[in-house]
Amino acid sequence: MQREIMICNGIKKVAAAGLALILAGCSMPPVIEDAREETPGITSMEKEPDLAYEVPESSPNILVNQLGYITGRNKTAFFNSKELPTEFYVINEDTRETVLIGVTEDEIYQEEKGEYFGYGDFSALTKPGTYYLEAPFLGRSYSFQVGDDLYAQVFREACRQYYYNRCGMSLTNEFAGERAHNACHTGNAVLREDISVSLDVMGGWHQDEVGSKDVPMAAKSIGVMLLALELYADSFGDDMGIPESGNGIPDILDEVRYEIEWLLKMQDPATGAVYEGVTVYEQGGGKGPVSYVEPGEIESTKAFAAVLAKFSYLYQNYEKDYAQECLKASDRAWKYVELNKGEETEDPDPWKLAAAAELYRASGLYSCHRYIKDYFRKDRPSEELDEVTFWGYVTYISTKQQVSLGICEEITKEIMQKTEEIVESAKSSMYFVEEGEGNEHNHKLLQNMMYLTMVDYMIANHEYDSVIENHFHYLMGRNPQAVCYIDDVGENNYRQIDETLGIMKQFDADSKFIFMLSKIVNNG
């Protein structure tokens, strides 16, 4: 695929020379690939193994990706037990035949948790089908598939989640299936500050169970998905099964436009300021819900400016007039921000940085570049790189406008440093990802994969591919809880434990999952 993003002058030199030194220390531990060279190869199946031991129905002691593995990619299982067998068996679920014998490797004892751990490589399994692993003392794993196109459907469904959450329109059985419903929240909302004033804010995406909508949260998710489209356009088709499919525009852009149309309603045409969002409350007595438009804030106006400029830049190749309308709205928001600097603090402002970077790329506006230069002159605290700052960074080093080489180098250094931390953290974990559990942990893992995917795009590192895939395997069930966090996948799905754990059901997490999957699907 031809790469569409243009990296600014100097970045390629940095990636090829100085950054190579940083990358030299970022390799993963030789557990998956190298361990197979240092240990005996997988035994052939000419001789039927002795499986004369008691096997439990199902056990989380053998951890696998419960969706499955791509035919030609690495396949690794984790074994969690004080007593590890020397061999494990790959069994065809349909025929119950043992098709492969593997050797357990790298027995580890984690003193903090009192856990024993081992790995099993079965990459030699390449025949499509459904399988499970079995081992003495451990029982069997959950089932998984092997195939060439396993992840495309998951990617498609992750993208379709935003269609399912469309507000203000009827979703038909043809496109939504069991999630079809009549149009909701079709009435006007009233201003929180003056309930005598009502506004048409119908449309957009629900962000929670009652249908509330927040501008900065919407902007974050759109920014993540549009960056994924920029990097891996080949992953996004025009056939994802939404009403706009087949119109010659990538469905992800069609879906984002539906949200953009709502965002445009949130801008005050007189001032350029943008309302914070819409909050929905259920009234008692059968009166139905009431919706309030929350007062405009400077943050929502900056977020609006950033996302409208980014959308206009990408959408201009499909509908130039609408793209120009969006760019003008972004410019009005930016001018409001500039006129209200008194509301700002001296601290670094991620949303204003993202807005300035997007408007500068889209229009070459001098005031935006001036702000970016001033931003990097400030003493910025050494804090965790957040996703909005990352958004602004990536846009700036990707622009075709004239840029500062020094700023590009500073941005690249910071992103590379963060990448090194992510890889080092993965190296030190038995699960190949930073340890933790729960929604907050999964969100952090997905955010880290955004950073790693961007750097991998810039300098194409095979080991980064492995780290990204390991995070995907983790979320699909190769984790300490043996839980698959993706909808309708796996024998031990999150819905059996806690409905709130589903990644696709979480508005912001789903966009990051799409980002990671766009890379994995693109790898094929």
Side-chain angles (χ1 to χ4, degrees):
M1 181 186 76
Q2 292 292 321
R3 296 188 170 186
E4 299 297 333
I5 279 196
M6 301 293 294
I7 306 301
C8 71
N9 291 335
I11 293 302
K12 291 182 179 179
K13 293 180 181 178
V14 174
L19 295 183
L21 297 176
I22 300 176
L23 287 171
C26 294
S27 59
M28 289 292 291
V31 173
I32 297 181
E33 292 92 349
D34 296 344
R36 295 185 64 206
E37 298 175 3
E38 298 171 359
T39 58
I42 295 179
T43 310
S44 72
M45 284 307 302
E46 295 179 2
K47 180 181 177 182
E48 194 70 23
D50 179 13
L51 301 182
Y53 53 86
E54 185 177 348
V55 181
E57 278 293 314
S58 186
S59 170
N61 291 327
I62 303 179
L63 308 175
V64 296
N65 176 333
Q66 293 174 38
L67 173 59
Y69 302 83
I70 300 300
T71 302
R73 305 292 290 184
N74 289 320
K75 304 172 186 68
T76 305
F78 296 166
F79 304 106
N80 188 353
S81 175
K82 184 174 182 179
E83 185 176 7
L84 291 177
T86 58
E87 295 179 334
F88 66 93
Y89 311 104
V90 183
I91 298 174
N92 184 298
E93 186 169 70
D94 296 326
T95 65
R96 305 299 182 187
E97 294 178 354
T98 302
V99 298
L100 201 67
I101 297 178
V103 178
T104 56
E105 306 168 356
D106 297 320
E107 182 177 339
I108 300 171
Y109 175 67
Q110 189 179 50
E111 187 173 356
E112 293 180 1
K113 295 185 176 181
E115 293 180 346
Y116 291 82
F117 214 74
Y119 305 91
D121 186 288
F122 55 104
S123 300
L125 178 66
T126 58
K127 185 177 180 180
T130 302
Y131 304 90
Y132 60 88
L133 304 186
E134 202 167 87
F137 319 117
L138 302 182
R140 58 160 288 182
S141 72
Y142 293 118
S143 301
F144 59 87
Q145 299 177 65
V146 171
D148 291 326
D149 197 26
L150 294 180
Y151 305 153
Q153 181 61 28
V154 173
F155 178 65
R156 183 175 184 268
E157 282 304 304
C159 293
R160 284 169 55 82
Q161 295 302 311
Y162 292 93
Y163 169 72
Y164 297 143
N165 283 287
R166 286 189 186 185
C167 180
M169 69 172 286
S170 296
L171 304 189
T172 65
N173 288 324
E174 178 185 2
F175 298 107
E178 295 179 354
R179 299 178 70 172
H181 61 73
N182 293 326
C184 57
H185 305 114
T186 55
N188 284 2
V190 297
L191 286 178
R192 171 78 70 181
E193 298 172 311
D194 183 356
I195 61 173
S196 68
V197 179
S198 65
L199 295 175
D200 170 20
V201 290
M202 185 176 67
W205 300 320
H206 295 154
Q207 295 178 6
D208 59 25
E209 293 180 354
V210 298
S212 297
K213 294 171 280 191
D214 177 79
V215 170
M217 182 178 288
K220 281 184 183 181
S221 291
I222 292 173
V224 169
M225 289 187 284
L226 291 184
L227 179 56
L229 178 65
E230 288 188 80
L231 298 182
Y232 299 107
D234 290 351
S235 298
F236 296 90
D238 187 24
D239 57 355
M240 290 189 175
I242 62 174
E244 296 83 358
S245 294
N247 65 357
I249 301 173
D251 281 349
I252 197 69
L253 268 181
D254 286 322
E255 193 57 64
V256 166
R257 175 170 174 164
Y258 191 82
E259 180 77 349
I260 292 292
E261 289 172 355
W262 172 75
L263 285 170
L264 287 169
K265 293 180 178 182
M266 298 299 291
Q267 184 175 41
D268 184 337
T271 66
V274 178
Y275 296 109
E276 183 73 12
V278 177
T279 305
V280 180
Y281 295 96
E282 291 292 337
Q283 298 183 97
K287 296 180 181 179
V290 59
S291 301
Y292 290 99
V293 179
E294 302 297 346
E297 293 188 6
I298 199 73
E299 180 180 284
S300 56
T301 306
K302 295 168 188 173
F304 177 96
V307 74
L308 266 290
K310 189 173 192 67
F311 176 77
S312 71
Y313 183 81
L314 297 177
Y315 203 69
Q316 62 184 327
N317 294 327
Y318 301 98
E319 194 175 331
K320 194 167 185 178
D321 289 345
Y322 189 74
Q324 281 296 315
E325 179 185 341
C326 293
L327 185 58
K328 289 177 182 177
S330 174
D331 183 62
R332 286 197 300 273
W334 176 259
K335 288 177 179 175
Y336 176 86
V337 170
E338 287 288 87
L339 288 170
N340 290 273
K341 291 181 179 179
E343 299 182 35
E344 298 179 1
T345 67
E346 291 299 318
D347 296 330
D349 189 335
W351 272 123
K352 192 170 183 181
L353 174 67
E358 290 293 352
L359 266 169
Y360 183 57
R361 179 170 72 155
S363 66
L365 195 63
Y366 174 74
S367 65
C368 294
H369 199 204
R370 182 181 60 213
Y371 174 79
I372 295 169
K373 290 179 178 178
D374 290 343
Y375 180 93
F376 282 92
R377 290 192 186 104
K378 294 179 180 179
D379 292 329
R380 292 175 293 118
S382 178
E383 296 180 350
E384 184 77 10
L385 180 64
D386 68 88
E387 62 191 276
V388 178
T389 302
F390 174 76
W391 173 355
Y393 282 0
V394 171
T395 298
Y396 186 74
I397 65 175
S398 304
T399 182
K400 296 178 182 178
Q401 305 285 356
Q402 184 177 6
V403 295
S404 163
L405 179 58
I407 292 176
C408 286
E409 290 177 340
E410 187 173 343
I411 287 172
T412 306
K413 181 180 178 181
E414 189 168 339
I415 293 177
M416 286 302 309
Q417 182 178 349
K418 178 61 181 177
T419 300
E420 185 177 15
E421 292 172 1
I422 293 168
V423 177
E424 285 297 323
S425 180
K427 283 171 59 176
S428 64
S429 168
M430 296 191 299
Y431 295 93
F432 301 158
V433 303
E434 182 177 334
E435 294 189 23
E437 59 182 73
N439 278 334
E440 186 175 342
H441 176 243
N442 288 346
H443 278 238
K444 184 176 183 181
L445 296 183
L446 289 167
Q447 186 164 307
N448 285 347
M449 290 306 97
M450 287 174 50
Y451 306 149
L452 194 59
T453 297
M454 181 62 209
V455 174
D456 181 70
Y457 181 91
M458 292 168 60
I459 60 178
N461 186 298
H462 171 70
E463 289 184 322
Y464 289 173
D465 284 344
S466 296
V467 176
I468 294 166
E469 285 191 12
N470 284 330
H471 279 70
F472 178 69
H473 295 321
Y474 179 94
L475 296 172
M476 302 301 281
R478 209 178 66 181
N479 54 65
Q481 294 75 36
V483 172
C484 182
Y485 295 103
I486 310 305
D487 287 8
D488 304 319
V489 173
E491 296 177 72
N492 193 33
N493 192 266
Y494 74 91
R495 284 177 168 167
Q496 300 164 229
I497 303 164
D498 183 348
E499 189 73 29
T500 67
L501 295 175
I503 287 174
M504 288 184 180
K505 294 296 188 293
Q506 299 174 52
F507 187 86
D508 52 346
D510 188 52
S511 62
K512 297 180 181 69
F513 186 58
I514 289 170
F515 192 107
M516 181 173 70
L517 271 177
S518 68
K519 151 78 173 172
I520 293 172
V521 170
N522 187 267
N523 281 357

